[in-house]
Amino acid sequence: MEYLEIHSEIFDDIVEDIKQRNLSRNNMPKIIVGTGLFVIYGVPGMKELAEHLAKEIAQSSDEHLKEIWKNHCDEIEANGLEAGLANLAQNENELVDAIKPITAKFILESEEKLHRTIYEKDTGFCRLLKYLGGTVSVDKKIIDIMTPNYDRIIEIICDKLGIGVITGFYGSLYGKFSRNLLKQPTEVYNCKNYSWIRLFKPHGSINWISENGKEYLTNDYEILKEKAEYIEIVTPGSSKYKVGMTNNTFRCMREEFNELLNPRDNYSLLIYGYGFNDDHFDTALFDSFQKNVLILSRDVKPDIINKALEKKNITVFYHEDDREYMIYKSKKYTIDMPVWDINQFADLFIG
């Protein structure tokens, strides 16, 4: 395996090639953002959520609920919350119902404490969005992002950068969802003179409320705190595909983003901090792996690494066994910097 120094002429050439294939106007990336974004802002992730759920369930008076958690706690500790709750039995589904409001409130309160930090902190992700905002097509200045995250980190960053966010909801205090707004934003928004992020959240968001058959988006913290049990998210342990199909907004988010992954269109994929834990959505992503793909993630599953070793159009930066790696044009290198870190990536590729 070849060792490659980041500060070298060879890597400089690689940077320019990746920028052309993955970050240029002609190959504007569709971006997938996972929980890796939590880390740079200090937002608690799945590990902290699992610990919080364990404490909350331990205090519950429901003995059956405690028993279900006990049955899966070793798997959760060993392989994480997603994997630990992936195979709940039919008679254990009440655990999903119990952890949904706990999860929503935990994410909501954790994010609320960090609002100012998120808004003020200059990160590689901020620089990436700012760079793409200046690179996007002059006729349709829309950057498409899909995230399974429930938080509003991306929305806060966009406010900081002065980039509008298209969520599919319209209205000021109580936004209502419109699929056409998500599908045809140019009919409503000025996408020629201003840059926009079109944000797809197929697993819901902590500012979506579903109560008594009515669904709305609000950013009023007091309302969200009061209505935490009605916050609409797909929690670990849920059948993501089933919930995504029965909830109209989730389904629209998934379907509309999948439609953007049209093989006839010019685009690339930029996948940051995403764990590939949604089989049905991942299938659509893998179908788009014929395009140029750039993956930045500390931990990458072996099957993704194998795909990169087979396909020259997939570039991966990742960490394994205390070393930093790059797979570029089907060749694996050891490198001397964690380029999977979005801050390091932005320093090298954006400046």
Side-chain angles (χ1 to χ4, degrees), residues 11-171:
F11 192 78
D12 287 345
D13 291 339
I14 291 174
V15 167
E16 290 306 311
D17 179 57
I18 291 174
K19 286 176 73 172
Q20 285 300 314
R21 292 194 293 130
N22 293 90
L23 302 174
S24 67
R25 182 172 295 174
N26 292 332
N27 291 294
M28 181 57 56
K30 308 295 182 188
I31 305 174
I32 292 86
V33 178
T35 55
L37 188 61
F38 290 173
V39 178
I40 58 174
Y41 288 101
V43 176
M46 285 294 176
K47 181 181 178 182
E48 291 82 5
L49 174 58
E51 292 170 354
H52 180 73
L53 289 171
K55 291 177 183 176
E56 290 291 313
I57 291 169
Q59 295 172 11
S60 171
S61 59
D62 189 329
E63 295 300 323
H64 181 55
L65 204 61
K66 291 179 182 177
E67 188 64 28
I68 297 171
W69 184 265
K70 184 179 178 181
N71 292 341
H72 297 273
C73 64
D74 289 342
E75 177 75 12
I76 292 169
E77 190 170 336
N79 300 309
L81 191 61
E82 290 268 10
L85 297 180
N87 298 305
L88 292 177
Q90 193 70 33
N91 65 343
E92 295 180 324
N93 282 335
E94 67 180 79
L95 178 63
V96 175
D97 296 330
I99 69 175
K100 183 177 174 181
I102 300 172
T103 300
K105 190 174 181 182
F106 177 75
I107 299 294
L108 179 67
E109 292 179 349
S110 300
E111 183 210 88
E112 182 69 17
K113 294 174 185 175
L114 293 166
H115 264 207
R116 180 55 54 183
T117 299
I118 296 167
Y119 187 83
E120 293 180 347
K121 192 171 185 179
D122 182 34
T123 66
F125 192 74
C126 288
R127 283 181 280 159
L128 173 66
L129 292 189
K130 190 174 181 180
Y131 175 81
L132 292 176
T135 308
V136 72
S137 169
V138 293
D139 295 319
K140 189 180 179 183
K141 295 185 174 183
I142 297 176
I143 302 165
D144 293 313
I145 300 180
M146 189 287 294
T147 180
N149 301 348
Y150 319 129
D151 61 81
R152 293 169 292 177
I153 294 176
I154 294 172
E155 293 94 315
I156 296 170
I157 293 170
C158 288
D159 281 353
K160 169 191 173 75
L161 298 175
I163 300 175
V165 181
I166 299 166
T167 62
F169 287 82
Y170 66 94

Side-chain angles (χ1 to χ4, degrees), residues 202-298:
H203 290 172
S205 183
I206 56 166
N207 58 343
W208 298 1
I209 300 290
S210 181
E211 181 183 14
N212 299 325
K214 295 180 180 180
E215 184 179 66
Y216 57 91
L217 178 153
T218 181
N219 286 306
D220 186 310
Y221 178 66
E222 292 303 320
I223 293 175
L224 292 171
K225 189 166 62 171
E226 179 187 339
K227 304 282 188 180
E229 63 183 298
Y230 301 109
I231 288 176
E232 195 70 334
I233 56 174
V234 181
T235 57
S238 306
S239 170
K240 294 176 182 176
Y241 182 71
K242 182 178 179 181
V243 175
M245 289 298 103
T246 55
N247 179 292
N248 180 63
T249 308
F250 293 166
R251 188 182 71 253
C252 290
M253 292 281 172
R254 180 187 295 269
E255 290 176 352
E256 292 302 329
F257 188 79
N258 285 353
E259 280 191 23
L260 295 177
L261 305 180
N262 189 325
R264 295 187 297 273
D265 294 339
N266 289 331
Y267 66 89
S268 64
L269 288 176
L270 196 167
I271 302 172
Y272 168 56
Y274 176 71
F276 294 93
N277 293 315
D278 186 332
D279 292 340
H280 295 277
F281 182 74
D282 292 347
T283 299
L285 274 186
F286 294 152
D287 288 343
S288 293
F289 272 27
Q290 59 189 302
K291 301 290 186 180
N292 290 315
V293 180
L294 175 61
I295 300 173
L296 309 173
S297 189
R298 186 183 192 280

